[in-house]
Amino acid sequence: MAKKQKITLPKTDKVTGRPYLSYSQISTWKKSKRDYMRQYFFGEDFSGMSDYMDFGSKVGNALESNNFSDFNKTEQEFLKTLPRYDEFEREVNLDMGEFFVKGFIDTNTTENTEKGELVKKIADYKTGEIEKKESAYTSDDYIQLDIYAAAIQQETGVLPEEVNVFLIDRKGNAFKGEPLVLGNSYITITKKVDVKRVEQVKNEVHQIALEISDYYQLFLKLNGLM
């Protein structure tokens, strides 16, 4: 019988000491192994994307707090039209055995039943130029909400009934020094998440974890850290 491969990852939970991945890590690895290693092995600062991340966080915080004062009047009126569920930033952890995937659901609905609390709908807010970004979130390559749905299934025994991305139009190019502002529209992208899809995604995540672990263990050995 082949020896089970030990998984070693750059991030470990401060409380449990267990290694974990985030969707940001998974996405970075899929896009560029080099960028992943620069960021998570060597600790390089990837501040070039911080303006976009900060803007997305500002939108999310405004929707959660119902405080839109950081936006102009037109943007404020637009933000008030966006769907908001009854809970924000719910932490979820998908247990994968030797490691887990940590995440936060932007917004979700819950229902108390005889079987306990069920999470009925989950959604993630994304900002970007709709015509350029829509295909990224309709693609099967986008697995963030599938991971969160799998975590909900582990927690409650049931998959969410509805899984959405709310893609909010954003204008401006931070790399060219242009201010980032909201457009005046959004689209809802509904993801089909079922048991088969969840298993496919979990297999993909496990394979990514193995790949990262291989590279990371080699990095540790080469640097006399293992």
Side-chain angles (χ1 to χ4, degrees), residues 90 108-110 117-122 152 159-161:
R90 182 189 184 103
N108 64 269
T109 64
T110 60
E117 183 187 68
L118 297 182
V119 179
K120 308 293 280 187
K121 298 179 183 181
I122 66 173
I152 291 296
L159 284 168
E161 293 178 356

Side-chain angles (χ1 to χ4, degrees), residues 5-39:
Q5 184 175 346
K6 178 178 173 58
I7 292 179
T8 305
L9 300 173
K11 296 288 186 180
T12 56
D13 183 71
K14 293 180 180 179
V15 177
T16 65
R18 293 182 66 201
Y20 74 89
L21 294 174
S22 64
Y23 180 70
S24 178
Q25 287 189 62
I26 292 168
S27 178
T28 301
W29 182 261
K30 290 173 70 173
K31 290 175 183 176
S32 171
K33 293 178 174 60
R34 181 174 179 269
D35 285 350
Y36 182 96
M37 288 186 281
R38 287 174 60 195
Q39 185 171 356

Side-chain angles (χ1 to χ4, degrees), residues 207-226:
Q207 183 58 42
I208 288 171
L210 287 173
E211 291 174 4
I212 293 173
S213 179
D214 283 345
Y215 279 77
Y216 189 54
Q217 289 186 50
L218 179 60
F219 167 81
L220 293 175
K221 289 176 182 176
L222 291 175
N223 287 275
L225 301 172
M226 188 176 183

Side-chain angles (χ1 to χ4, degrees), residues 159-173:
L159 284 168
E161 293 178 356
E162 191 173 309
V163 178
N164 292 315
V165 175
F166 298 127
L167 178 56
I168 306 163
D169 197 32
R170 185 198 65 218
K171 307 296 184 185
N173 188 325

